[in-house]
């Protein structure tokens, strides 16, 4: 059973590729997270949790959701992280989370995908050619990961050092609280008030007011709003105007991949 959350499509691409290769079911967790739906999930096959990396760790809202979600059937859990190149302490967090749930941690994989963090000047745009290369490399790696999972083997990623934990935990805490303001999001005249941004916000942070989105706090800075706006009408401070609004569907046909798969 493949479970995923994805803001701009990278993780969804990996999750659906794994599901296709393994002939397994795939669940998009967005609606469940939004509605705090903790209906138990049953699978005979191992659980594979696919998530992006935010600030060197698993996104807090995914971790909090998985923490409370009852898993039935298989006791084995794999994690697959997509990041712009540094997954930080995500594997360590995943291991702790799995042990707390009395399940068997079967390791994690880290996949380098295009960075979608376009509201930060710290991350330059990933060039289109590089985006295509990373997506292609990931497709090959997903096949290897699927092989390991099929054989109930262990996924092995790099070692996470103590100094990484010592830095990432306080930095993440500070960054999420103080460096991710939502007040800098705004819409331009291109906004038609369709409300897609509000529907895709995993933490229900965007309210429609007079047919325009209003961002509240706390924002997860996941980029779901800005990277899925059909009119590219969302901007952030003076940072995003000239940047590519990254979404994987600009590089690969997601509709085809989604077609054959179950969604709950
Ligand atoms: C708020 C935020 C923080 C991020 N932090 C990291 C990071 O610490 N390291 C990294 O390599 N990529 C980072 N990224 C990039 C994403 O992890 C990466 O693009 C991921 O594949 C996005 O997945 P998605 O398209 O499924 O949402 C960050 C992205 C966002 C939006």
């Amino acid at each position: 059973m493949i479970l995923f959350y994805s803001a701009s499509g990278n993780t969804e691409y990996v999750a659906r590729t794994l599901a296709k290769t393994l002939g397994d079911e795939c669940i998009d967790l967005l609606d469940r997270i939004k509605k705090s739906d903790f209906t138990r999930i049953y699978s005979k096959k191992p659980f594979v949790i696919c998530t992006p990396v935010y600030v060197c760790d698993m996104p807090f809202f995914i971790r909090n959701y998985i923490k409370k979600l009852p898993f039935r059937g298989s006791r084995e859990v794999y994690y697959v992280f997509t990041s712009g190149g540094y997954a930080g302490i995500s594997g360590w967090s995943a291991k702790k989370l799995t042990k707390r749930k009395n399940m068997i941690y079967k390791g994690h994989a880290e996949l380098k995908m295009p960075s979608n963090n376009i509201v930060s000047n710290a991350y330059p745009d990933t060039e289109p050619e590089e985006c295509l290369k990373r997506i292609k490399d990931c497709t090959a790696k997903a096949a290897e990961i699927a092989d390991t999972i099929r054989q109930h083997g262990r996924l092995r990623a790099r070692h996470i050092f103590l100094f990484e934990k010592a830095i990432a935990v306080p930095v993440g805490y500070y960054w999420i609280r103080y460096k991710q303001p939502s007040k800098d999001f705004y819409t331009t005249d291109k906004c038609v008030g369709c409300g897609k941004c509000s529907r895709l916000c995993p933490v229900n942070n965007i309210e429609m007011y007079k047919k325009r989105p209003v961002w509240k706090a706390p924002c997860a800075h996941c980029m779901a709003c800005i990277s899925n706006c059909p009119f590219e009408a969302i901007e952030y401070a003076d940072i995003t105007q000239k940047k590519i609004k990254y979404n994987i569907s600009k590089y690969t046909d997601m509709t085809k991949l989604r077609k054959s798969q179950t969604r709950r």
Side-chain angles (χ1 to χ4, degrees), residues 182-230:
S182 54
K183 64 175 176 45
D184 290 338
F185 282 104
Y186 65 94
T187 49
T188 64
D189 292 346
K190 290 190 264 180
C191 177
V192 297
C194 69
K196 187 173 183 183
C197 49
S198 174
R199 291 194 296 279
L200 291 183
C201 177
V203 290
N204 297 315
N205 194 47
I206 304 174
E207 266 178 20
M208 296 304 287
Y209 179 71
K210 294 187 178 174
K211 290 204 87 185
R212 286 287 180 276
V214 177
W215 282 262
K216 302 177 296 173
C219 172
H221 263 212
C222 67
M223 307 297 129
C225 55
I226 199 164
S227 75
N228 287 286
C229 173

Side-chain angles (χ1 to χ4, degrees), residues 6-11 52-53 55-56 82-86 114-116 123 221:
S6 182
S8 60
N10 288 348
T11 315
V53 172
V55 201
C56 310
T82 74
S83 75
Y86 180 62
S115 177
N116 68 343
Y123 296 89
H221 263 212

